[in-house]
Amino acid sequence: MSRILSDEHRAVRNAVRDFAESEIAPVAREYDEPGKVQFPWEIFEKSADLDFLTPHYPEEYGGSGMDFLSMIIVHEEFNRADPGIGTAVLSAKFGTEMILEYGDEWQKEEFVKPVVAGDVTCGSSISEPDAGSDVAGLRTTAEKDGDEYVLNGSKTWASTSPVAEFMVVMAKTSPGEGHQGISAFIVPTDTDGFTIENDIPKMGLRASPTAEITISDARVPAENLIGDEDKGFYQLMNFFNENRIMVAANALGAAAGAYRHAYQYAQEREAFGQEIGEFQGLQWKLADMATKVETARSVTYRAAAQAIAGEDPRQLASIAKYYASEICEDVCSEAIQVHGGYGYTRDFPVEKFYRDSRVQKIVEGTSEIQQNIIYESIDESQL
């Protein structure tokens, strides 16, 4: 790992960790109250001020011009402090990546820069009630009408949408063409006919409001099309490659945070006349957790390095996302076990780590979808 991380990367890690431990961890429980959904605006704005939201974006759009691994480190450290706030803050830029890669210059100026500056949040709306993993099966349509597109349909699991200024919405522009007929649009959330419903109650991630969206004759200018018409699916798949590495980093960070809490508790809690960390059975459990965290870190960083090198990261991104999200649940569950009955209470953070991070096996393609991608990407030269 030392050959992957430069002095600059280590400086980023130190700065982000200091921020996360001083600004995020202390208020984690505050943003987890049932029925009290609230977005952590202050942390979002401070993160933007410190260039933590998008350090890998070019400087002309407000970024720091660093590499993608720096962004991965931010995701890891934010989620190590608290996966609820970490995911909420960093998903509030979700969608700007596609605009930055495929959008026109005016779109980058008008939509990307304000998010990077921390002035507004955005989101991406892909999933529908009948189309989750099957992106090609989405039914929302966008019909060209003069210099506008008219959108109709419904969306669900639209993260950040209740507080977003705009959404990147995937819709069918050629309904009979399957995945070859999908396009991406920038839709301001105050657009007539674009109705964001109430927040969906969730097991975790309560700091990240998630809603259903009803779209009825919502008109957007034709210039709000991102990239070329009918190329949205391909843009999305390319976007998923890097985003899955970021999700892997979220899971890695949550696992690392849960492991840290478990280790510290094992050094403090006493039973049968000694610290429970002195029992070999518990040492083996903690050793197994450490092994999983370090292995997840290795494959996640390797996937990031592959993306930086301009190589196709599809398979390694899916391996990282699949493995990190799977071991994250295992490590968080074991962290609760180390705490015993206390781990099942809200008095200790590990139960929140479990609830907040369980979703990582579902978002950006389920574990089963990742396994499909991994298998389909196997090359005989790898055997």
Side-chain angles (χ1 to χ4, degrees), residues 99-129:
I99 300 174
L100 187 67
E101 179 71 20
Y102 298 103
D104 295 331
E105 188 61 32
W106 77 268
Q107 293 176 338
K108 299 174 187 178
E109 290 289 331
E110 184 167 335
F111 295 104
V112 174
K113 292 180 72 172
V115 174
V116 176
D119 296 331
V120 302
T121 65
C122 70
S124 185
S125 188
I126 304 167
S127 297
E128 298 183 0

Side-chain angles (χ1 to χ4, degrees), residues 218-238:
R219 291 179 173 269
V220 296
E223 62 182 1
N224 282 29
L225 172 70
I226 303 173
D228 297 327
E229 189 176 273
D230 292 341
K231 298 299 182 182
F233 179 84
Y234 305 100
Q235 295 169 190
L236 185 63
M237 292 302 104
N238 182 57

Side-chain angles (χ1 to χ4, degrees), residues 200-340:
I200 300 172
K202 303 188 298 295
M203 174 180 175
L205 297 185
R206 292 172 179 154
S208 180
T210 308
E212 296 180 339
I213 300 174
T214 300
I215 309 172
S216 179
D217 290 335
R219 291 179 173 269
V220 296
E223 62 182 1
N224 282 29
L225 172 70
I226 303 173
D228 297 327
E229 189 176 273
D230 292 341
K231 298 299 182 182
F233 179 84
Y234 305 100
Q235 295 169 190
L236 185 63
M237 292 302 104
N238 182 57
F239 163 56
F240 271 164
N241 286 336
E242 289 195 355
N243 205 59
R244 282 171 177 153
I245 304 173
M246 289 189 279
V247 172
N250 289 347
L252 162 62
Y259 165 68
R260 175 183 58 146
H261 285 295
Y263 181 86
Q264 292 173 343
Y265 184 80
Q267 312 312 310
E268 299 167 358
R269 173 70 170 172
E270 292 188 0
F272 303 101
Q274 64 181 3
E275 295 174 353
I276 62 174
E278 294 298 317
F279 292 101
Q280 188 178 60
L282 198 59
Q283 292 173 352
W284 287 351
K285 188 182 295 290
L286 291 167
D288 187 55
M289 295 163 72
T291 300
K292 290 177 177 177
V293 169
E294 284 302 321
T295 304
R297 180 173 289 119
S298 178
V299 70
T300 300
Y301 284 19
R302 279 186 59 212
Q306 194 172 57
I308 292 170
E311 302 172 10
D312 182 4
R314 185 170 182 260
Q315 185 189 58
L316 203 52
S318 285
I319 290 175
K321 196 273 181 185
Y322 169 60
Y323 183 77
S325 63
E326 290 286 332
I327 68 97
C328 180
E329 182 183 10
D330 294 343
V331 171
C332 289
S333 178
E334 289 287 53
I336 293 174
Q337 194 71 17
V338 170
H339 282 72

